[in-house]
Amino acid sequence: GQNIDQPTEMTATEGAIVQINCTYQTSGFNGLFWYQQHAGEAPTFLSYNVLDGLEEKGRFSSFLSRSKGYSYLLLKELQMKDSASYLCAVRDSNYQLIWGAGTKLIIKP
Amino acid sequence: IAGITQAPTSQILAAGRRMTLRCTQDMRHNAMYWYRQDLGLGLRLIHYSNTAGTTGKGEVPDGYSVSRANTDDFPLTLASAVPSQTSVYFCASSEEAGAPDTQYFGPGTRLTVL
């Protein structure tokens, strides 16, 4: 079966750095996405990786290793507004997105 | 209208009733999707449409139907609602299915079936 694993919840301190991991086992691979979802709101796109390596976008970076079935989202200089759930999703061989359950990130002052 | 809109925002429904969730996008995207989101689970695809006039089944299609008469609208119908369909429903769209492009989500409909 297809599976996306992420930690359920993480806590970090304002101004610090946090890394959210995602491991996947899917039928085929056509890219990995990270989305942010604030409580009660819709998911919004953060990043996309299809090749191995690091993609940097401001305070957020995303890393992919296809051979290991592994990705992480790195958030730097954490702000209170970064408190949200972070969803990892993999596009499979049918070009459908398979979603992880999300990681709830709690930022403390 | 800007982006994707969904209606209603929330609904409480008696079991056995018929309900249509509406979704409209103004981005001229070809592909549209319906997901449900339940606590502790990832988003699960119900139905999708790669282009107007075509639809397909996702991971959890039973009890739901869709239509895609035009590019902008993608309604989701529950023919006879059951309590297990209590969930938050998100509609999404992307420029093209099968391309590495982003899915944009509507604000969601919170549905409670009693």
Side-chain angles (χ1 to χ4, degrees), chain A residues 30 33 35 37 40-45 48 87 91 95-102, chain B residues 33 35 37 40-43 45 48 90 98-107 110:
Chain A
N30 284 295
F33 295 78
Y35 280 74
Q37 185 177 26
E41 298 183 7
T44 56
F45 171 76
Y48 170 72
L87 314 181
R91 194 186 300 277
Y95 286 91
Q96 298 297 343
L97 284 181
I98 309 301
W99 295 81
Chain B
Y33 314 85
Y35 292 95
Q37 187 175 40
L41 299 176
L43 288 161
L45 183 65
Y48 65 93
F90 287 103
D101 60 346
T102 304
Q103 289 189 11
Y104 297 88
F105 285 79
R110 185 175 296 276

Coordinates of all heavy atoms in Angstrom, one line a residue, chain A residues 30 33 35 37 40-45 48 87 91 95-102, chain B residues 33 35 37 40-43 45 48 90 98-107 110:
Chain A
N30 N 6.3 11.2 -8.6 CA 6.3 12.3 -9.6 C 6.3 13.6 -8.9 O 5.7 14.5 -9.3 CB 5.1 12.2 -10.5 CG 5.3 11.1 -11.6 OD1 6.2 11.2 -12.4 ND2 4.5 10.0 -11.5
F33 N 5.3 17.4 -2.4 CA 4.8 18.8 -2.0 C 4.8 18.9 -0.5 O 4.5 18.0 0.2 CB 3.4 19.0 -2.6 CG 3.3 19.0 -4.1 CD1 3.3 17.8 -4.8 CD2 3.1 20.2 -4.8 CE1 3.1 17.8 -6.2 CE2 3.0 20.2 -6.1 CZ 3.0 19.0 -6.9
Y35 N 2.6 21.5 2.1 CA 1.6 22.5 2.2 C 1.5 22.9 3.7 O 1.8 22.2 4.6 CB 0.2 22.0 1.8 CG 0.0 21.9 0.3 CD1 0.6 21.0 -0.5 CD2 -0.9 22.9 -0.2 CE1 0.3 21.0 -1.8 CE2 -1.1 22.8 -1.6 CZ -0.5 21.9 -2.4 OH -0.8 21.9 -3.8
Q37 N -1.2 24.4 6.6 CA -2.6 24.6 6.9 C -2.8 25.1 8.3 O -2.5 24.4 9.3 CB -3.3 23.2 6.7 CG -4.8 23.4 6.9 CD -5.5 22.0 6.7 OE1 -5.0 21.0 6.9 NE2 -6.8 22.1 6.3
G40 N -8.5 25.5 10.9 CA -9.8 26.0 10.3 C -9.7 26.6 8.9 O -10.7 27.1 8.4
E41 N -8.5 26.5 8.3 CA -8.3 27.1 7.0 C -7.9 26.0 5.9 O -7.7 24.8 6.3 CB -7.3 28.2 7.0 CG -7.7 29.3 8.0 CD -6.6 30.4 8.0 OE1 -5.7 30.4 7.2 OE2 -6.8 31.4 8.8
A42 N -7.8 26.4 4.7 CA -7.4 25.5 3.6 C -5.9 25.4 3.6 O -5.2 26.3 4.0 CB -7.9 26.1 2.3
P43 N -5.4 24.3 3.1 CA -4.0 24.1 2.8 C -3.5 25.1 1.8 O -4.2 25.4 0.8 CB -3.9 22.7 2.3 CG -5.1 22.0 2.7 CD -6.2 23.0 2.7
T44 N -2.3 25.6 2.0 CA -1.7 26.5 1.0 C -0.3 25.9 0.6 O 0.4 25.4 1.5 CB -1.6 27.9 1.5 OG1 -0.9 27.9 2.7 CG2 -2.9 28.6 1.7
F45 N 0.1 26.1 -0.6 CA 1.3 25.5 -1.1 C 2.5 26.2 -0.5 O 2.6 27.4 -0.4 CB 1.3 25.7 -2.7 CG 2.6 25.4 -3.3 CD1 3.0 24.0 -3.5 CD2 3.5 26.4 -3.7 CE1 4.2 23.7 -4.1 CE2 4.7 26.1 -4.4 CZ 5.0 24.8 -4.6
Y48 N 7.9 22.4 -3.6 CA 7.8 21.3 -4.5 C 9.2 20.8 -4.8 O 10.1 21.6 -5.1 CB 7.1 21.7 -5.8 CG 7.1 20.6 -6.9 CD1 6.4 19.5 -6.8 CD2 7.9 20.8 -8.0 CE1 6.4 18.5 -7.8 CE2 7.9 19.9 -9.0 CZ 7.2 18.8 -8.9 OH 7.2 17.8 -9.9
L87 N 1.7 19.7 5.8 CA 1.3 18.5 5.2 C 2.3 18.1 4.1 O 2.6 18.9 3.3 CB -0.1 18.7 4.5 CG -1.2 19.3 5.3 CD1 -2.5 19.5 4.5 CD2 -1.4 18.6 6.6
R91 N 3.1 12.8 -5.3 CA 2.4 12.5 -6.5 C 2.8 11.2 -7.0 O 4.0 11.0 -7.3 CB 2.6 13.6 -7.5 CG 1.6 13.6 -8.7 CD 2.0 14.5 -9.8 NE 2.0 15.9 -9.3 CZ 1.0 16.7 -9.3 NH1 -0.2 16.2 -9.6 NH2 1.1 18.0 -8.9
Y95 N -0.3 10.2 -11.0 CA -0.3 11.6 -10.9 C -1.4 12.1 -9.9 O -1.9 13.2 -10.0 CB -0.5 12.3 -12.2 CG 0.8 12.3 -13.0 CD1 1.0 11.2 -13.9 CD2 1.7 13.3 -12.9 CE1 2.2 11.2 -14.6 CE2 2.9 13.3 -13.6 CZ 3.2 12.2 -14.5 OH 4.3 12.2 -15.2
Q96 N -1.8 11.2 -8.9 CA -2.6 11.6 -7.8 C -1.8 11.9 -6.6 O -0.7 11.3 -6.4 CB -3.6 10.5 -7.5 CG -4.6 10.2 -8.7 CD -5.5 11.3 -9.1 OE1 -5.7 12.3 -8.3 NE2 -6.0 11.2 -10.3
L97 N -2.2 12.9 -5.8 CA -1.5 13.2 -4.6 C -1.9 12.3 -3.5 O -3.1 12.1 -3.2 CB -1.8 14.7 -4.2 CG -1.1 15.7 -5.0 CD1 -1.4 17.1 -4.4 CD2 0.4 15.6 -4.9
I98 N -0.9 11.7 -2.8 CA -1.1 10.9 -1.6 C -0.6 11.8 -0.4 O 0.5 12.2 -0.4 CB -0.3 9.6 -1.6 CG1 -0.6 8.8 -2.9 CG2 -0.7 8.7 -0.4 CD1 -2.0 8.5 -3.2
W99 N -1.5 12.0 0.6 CA -1.2 12.9 1.6 C -0.9 12.2 2.9 O -1.5 11.2 3.3 CB -2.4 13.8 1.9 CG -2.8 14.7 0.7 CD1 -3.5 14.3 -0.4 CD2 -2.5 16.0 0.5 NE1 -3.6 15.4 -1.3 CE2 -3.0 16.4 -0.7 CE3 -1.8 17.0 1.3 CZ2 -2.9 17.7 -1.2 CZ3 -1.7 18.3 0.8 CH2 -2.2 18.6 -0.4
G100 N 0.1 12.8 3.6 CA 0.3 12.4 5.0 C -0.7 13.1 5.9 O -1.5 14.0 5.5
A101 N -0.8 12.6 7.2 CA -1.8 13.2 8.1 C -1.5 14.5 8.6 O -2.3 15.2 9.2 CB -2.0 12.2 9.3
G102 N -0.2 15.0 8.3 CA 0.2 16.3 8.8 C 0.9 16.4 10.1 O 0.7 15.5 11.0
Chain B
Y33 N -10.7 18.8 -8.0 CA -10.6 17.7 -7.1 C -11.5 17.9 -5.9 O -11.7 19.1 -5.5 CB -9.2 17.5 -6.5 CG -8.1 17.6 -7.6 CD1 -7.6 18.8 -8.0 CD2 -7.6 16.5 -8.2 CE1 -6.6 18.9 -9.0 CE2 -6.6 16.5 -9.1 CZ -6.1 17.8 -9.5 OH -5.1 17.8 -10.5
Y35 N -11.7 16.5 -1.9 CA -11.1 15.8 -0.8 C -11.9 15.9 0.4 O -12.7 16.8 0.6 CB -9.7 16.4 -0.4 CG -8.6 16.3 -1.4 CD1 -8.4 17.4 -2.3 CD2 -7.8 15.2 -1.5 CE1 -7.3 17.3 -3.2 CE2 -6.7 15.1 -2.4 CZ -6.5 16.2 -3.3 OH -5.5 16.1 -4.2
Q37 N -11.2 15.7 4.7 CA -10.2 15.7 5.7 C -10.8 15.3 7.1 O -11.7 16.0 7.6 CB -9.5 17.1 5.8 CG -8.3 17.1 6.7 CD -7.6 18.4 6.6 OE1 -8.2 19.5 6.6 NE2 -6.2 18.4 6.6
G40 N -6.6 13.1 12.2 CA -5.7 12.0 12.2 C -5.4 11.3 10.9 O -4.6 10.4 10.9
L41 N -6.1 11.8 9.9 CA -5.9 11.2 8.6 C -5.5 12.2 7.6 O -5.8 13.4 7.8 CB -7.2 10.5 8.1 CG -7.8 9.4 8.9 CD1 -9.1 8.9 8.3 CD2 -6.8 8.2 9.0
G42 N -4.8 11.8 6.6 CA -4.4 12.8 5.5 C -5.6 13.1 4.7 O -6.7 12.4 4.7
L43 N -5.5 14.1 3.9 CA -6.6 14.4 2.9 C -6.8 13.2 2.0 O -5.8 12.6 1.5 CB -6.1 15.6 2.0 CG -6.1 17.0 2.7 CD1 -5.3 17.9 1.9 CD2 -7.6 17.5 2.8
L45 N -8.7 11.7 -1.5 CA -9.3 12.1 -2.7 C -10.6 11.3 -2.9 O -10.7 10.1 -2.9 CB -8.4 11.9 -3.9 CG -8.9 12.3 -5.2 CD1 -9.0 13.8 -5.3 CD2 -7.9 11.8 -6.3
Y48 N -12.2 13.3 -8.9 CA -11.5 14.3 -9.6 C -12.0 14.5 -11.0 O -12.8 13.6 -11.5 CB -10.0 14.0 -9.6 CG -9.7 12.7 -10.4 CD1 -9.3 12.8 -11.7 CD2 -9.7 11.5 -9.8 CE1 -9.0 11.6 -12.5 CE2 -9.4 10.3 -10.5 CZ -9.1 10.4 -11.8 OH -8.8 9.3 -12.6
F90 N -12.9 19.7 1.1 CA -12.1 20.7 0.4 C -12.2 20.4 -1.1 O -12.0 19.3 -1.6 CB -10.7 20.7 0.8 CG -10.4 21.3 2.1 CD1 -10.2 20.5 3.2 CD2 -10.5 22.7 2.3 CE1 -9.9 21.0 4.5 CE2 -10.2 23.2 3.6 CZ -10.0 22.4 4.7
G98 N -1.8 15.9 -14.0 CA -0.6 15.2 -14.5 C 0.6 16.0 -14.6 O 1.7 15.6 -15.0
A99 N 0.5 17.3 -14.4 CA 1.6 18.2 -14.5 C 2.1 18.5 -13.1 O 1.4 18.5 -12.2 CB 1.2 19.5 -15.2
P100 N 3.4 18.8 -12.9 CA 3.9 19.1 -11.6 C 3.5 20.5 -11.1 O 4.3 21.3 -10.7 CB 5.4 19.0 -11.8 CG 5.6 19.5 -13.2 CD 4.5 18.9 -13.9
D101 N 2.2 20.8 -11.1 CA 1.8 22.1 -10.7 C 1.0 22.1 -9.4 O 0.6 21.0 -9.0 CB 0.9 22.8 -11.8 CG -0.3 22.0 -12.2 OD1 -0.4 20.9 -11.8 OD2 -1.2 22.6 -12.9
T102 N 0.8 23.2 -8.9 CA 0.2 23.3 -7.5 C -1.3 23.2 -7.5 O -2.0 23.6 -8.5 CB 0.5 24.7 -7.0 OG1 2.0 24.9 -7.0 CG2 0.1 24.9 -5.6
Q103 N -1.8 22.5 -6.5 CA -3.2 22.5 -6.3 C -3.6 23.7 -5.4 O -3.0 23.9 -4.3 CB -3.7 21.2 -5.7 CG -3.6 20.0 -6.7 CD -4.2 18.7 -6.1 OE1 -4.9 18.7 -5.1 NE2 -4.0 17.6 -6.9
Y104 N -4.7 24.4 -5.8 CA -5.2 25.5 -5.0 C -6.5 25.1 -4.3 O -7.4 24.5 -5.0 CB -5.4 26.7 -5.9 CG -4.2 27.3 -6.5 CD1 -3.7 26.8 -7.7 CD2 -3.4 28.2 -5.8 CE1 -2.5 27.2 -8.2 CE2 -2.3 28.7 -6.4 CZ -1.8 28.2 -7.6 OH -0.6 28.7 -8.1
F105 N -6.6 25.3 -3.0 CA -7.8 24.8 -2.3 C -8.8 25.9 -2.0 O -8.5 27.1 -1.7 CB -7.3 24.2 -1.0 CG -6.6 22.9 -1.1 CD1 -5.3 22.8 -1.5 CD2 -7.3 21.7 -0.8 CE1 -4.7 21.6 -1.7 CE2 -6.7 20.5 -1.0 CZ -5.4 20.4 -1.4
G106 N -10.1 25.5 -2.0 CA -11.1 26.4 -1.5 C -11.1 26.4 0.0 O -10.4 25.6 0.7
P107 N -12.0 27.2 0.6 CA -12.0 27.4 2.1 C -12.6 26.2 2.9 O -12.4 26.1 4.1 CB -12.8 28.6 2.3 CG -13.7 28.7 1.1 CD -12.9 28.1 0.0
R110 N -17.7 22.4 6.2 CA -17.7 21.5 7.3 C -19.1 20.9 7.4 O -20.1 21.6 7.6 CB -17.4 22.3 8.6 CG -17.3 21.4 9.9 CD -16.9 22.3 11.1 NE -15.6 22.8 10.9 CZ -14.5 22.2 11.2 NH1 -14.5 20.9 11.7 NH2 -13.3 22.8 11.0

